[in-house]
Amino acid sequence: MADLSAFAITQRWPAAHPDRLQLYSLPTPNGVKVSIMLEEIGLPYEPHLVDITKNESWTPEFLSLNPNGKIPAIVDPDGPGGKPLGLFESGAILVYLADKTGKLMPNDPARRYETLQWVFFQMAAVGPMFGQVGYFHKFAGREIEDKRPLERYRDESKRLLGVLETRLDGRSWIMGDDYTIADISLLGWVRNLVGFYGARELVAYDTLKHVPVWLERGLARPAVQRGLDIPKRS
Ligand SMILES: N[C@@H](CCC(=O)N[C@@H](CS)C(=O)NCC(=O)O)C(=O)O
């Protein structure tokens, strides 16, 4: 049986199955990337709910795994060399799981880098910009009288959706016929922007053709549907 006692996070979120990969998360657009990935690849894992609305990601136990205080994070008891590995940042976790299992990442080196390019595009642009739209359109920022911040993030998000629209013209998935971690990284964010954030009209989503079809195609995958609800909110 794996010994995870070196990971202080297991004191607050004890592992019932220490031989399984431990997931610390909440079903947000960043959190669901990892739960969808885990559901897709079929690796046994144990999900733990970290309630960020109660600041649980800022507890010493969580910070011991991710000093940046954000979900998602994992501990894999069977990391490189058979040793336990702790990891944070959803993009790094997606790449790690793809490498570990040989799934959802093209083998061809050039196509692998192309996939990574789109994962980084999500991490560096789509996530941060859509997140700001959420803040200024739906959450506390909507009370701010000066609408320039909202307009700035709206315009940039529309531009980013345009980049995706062009990429998906003639392609089923970001990497063509191959469904990859690039799609997994992006699906939850586009869904959230037009769903939970209520920004469908704001970003003129219905003027797009290829992005909505791709989103529906992604949401139709059973593993995506399951992953969107893991860990279950209390
Ligand atoms: N770049 C990070 C971002 C993670 C992130 O922003 N997580 C949010 C939830 S979507 C969070 O934990 N927020 C809690 C807080 O800031 O208090 C990743 O992709 O893992």
Side-chain angles (χ1 to χ4, degrees):
M1 174 143 341
D3 178 12
L4 300 183
S5 58
F7 294 88
I9 193 160
T10 61
Q11 288 160 19
R12 189 180 179 110
W13 289 275
H17 305 281
D19 288 331
R20 296 183 195 168
L21 186 144
Q22 305 290 307
L23 169 67
Y24 308 92
S25 191
L26 188 80
T28 68
N30 288 316
V32 298
K33 290 179 217 170
V34 180
S35 43
I36 290 172
M37 179 68 176
L38 286 163
E39 290 295 319
E40 292 280 8
I41 60 184
L43 203 67
Y45 69 102
E46 183 176 348
H48 301 275
L49 184 88
V50 179
D51 192 346
I52 59 174
T53 66
K54 294 185 183 141
N55 286 329
E56 286 186 350
S57 64
W58 299 102
T59 56
E61 294 90 348
F62 190 88
L63 290 169
S64 70
L65 180 58
N66 181 0
N68 193 35
K70 310 256 177 204
I71 60 96
I74 63 167
V75 172
D76 183 359
D78 183 26
K83 294 197 188 117
L85 175 77
L87 213 53
F88 63 89
E89 279 296 326
S90 57
I93 297 171
L94 288 179
V95 175
Y96 170 69
L97 292 173
D99 284 349
K100 178 184 168 88
T101 57
K103 291 182 180 169
L104 302 182
M105 175 87 96
N107 286 327
D108 173 72
R111 281 180 59 75
R112 175 185 158 85
Y113 287 118
E114 201 181 332
T115 307
L116 288 175
Q117 153 192 283
W118 286 101
V119 172
F120 276 73
F121 166 77
Q122 182 283 304
M123 296 297 298
V126 169
M129 292 302 119
F130 288 14
Q132 295 300 333
V133 169
Y135 177 78
F136 287 103
H137 181 61
K138 161 128 191 185
F139 302 115
R142 75 177 189 281
E143 310 292 350
I144 296 170
E145 238 171 76
D146 185 346
K147 293 299 162 201
R148 279 173 298 181
L150 173 63
E151 287 162 10
R152 177 180 168 84
Y153 296 118
R154 174 201 65 195
D155 291 351
E156 183 62 358
S157 296
K158 281 172 87 167
R159 192 189 67 74
L160 293 168
L161 283 171
V163 174
L164 281 180
E165 177 75 357
T166 303
R167 176 68 185 182
L168 288 165
D169 186 358
R171 290 183 178 89
S172 294
W173 303 109
I174 296 289
M175 289 302 294
D177 290 338
D178 296 329
Y179 170 73
T180 67
I181 58 170
D183 300 287
I184 293 180
S185 71
L186 285 157
L187 282 168
W189 271 109
V190 176
R191 172 180 176 265
N192 217 59
L193 181 72
V194 299
F196 187 52
Y197 290 171
R200 188 180 191 107
E201 278 179 36
L202 186 76
V203 298
Y205 186 72
D206 292 317
T207 62
L208 303 172
K209 202 166 137 198
H210 307 297
V211 174
V213 172
W214 161 85
L215 178 62
E216 290 314 310
R217 186 178 290 124
L219 294 178
R221 294 181 71 90
V224 172
Q225 279 304 315
R226 292 195 301 274
L228 286 171
D229 199 25
I230 297 174
K232 277 226 172 300
R233 289 176 186 267
S234 47

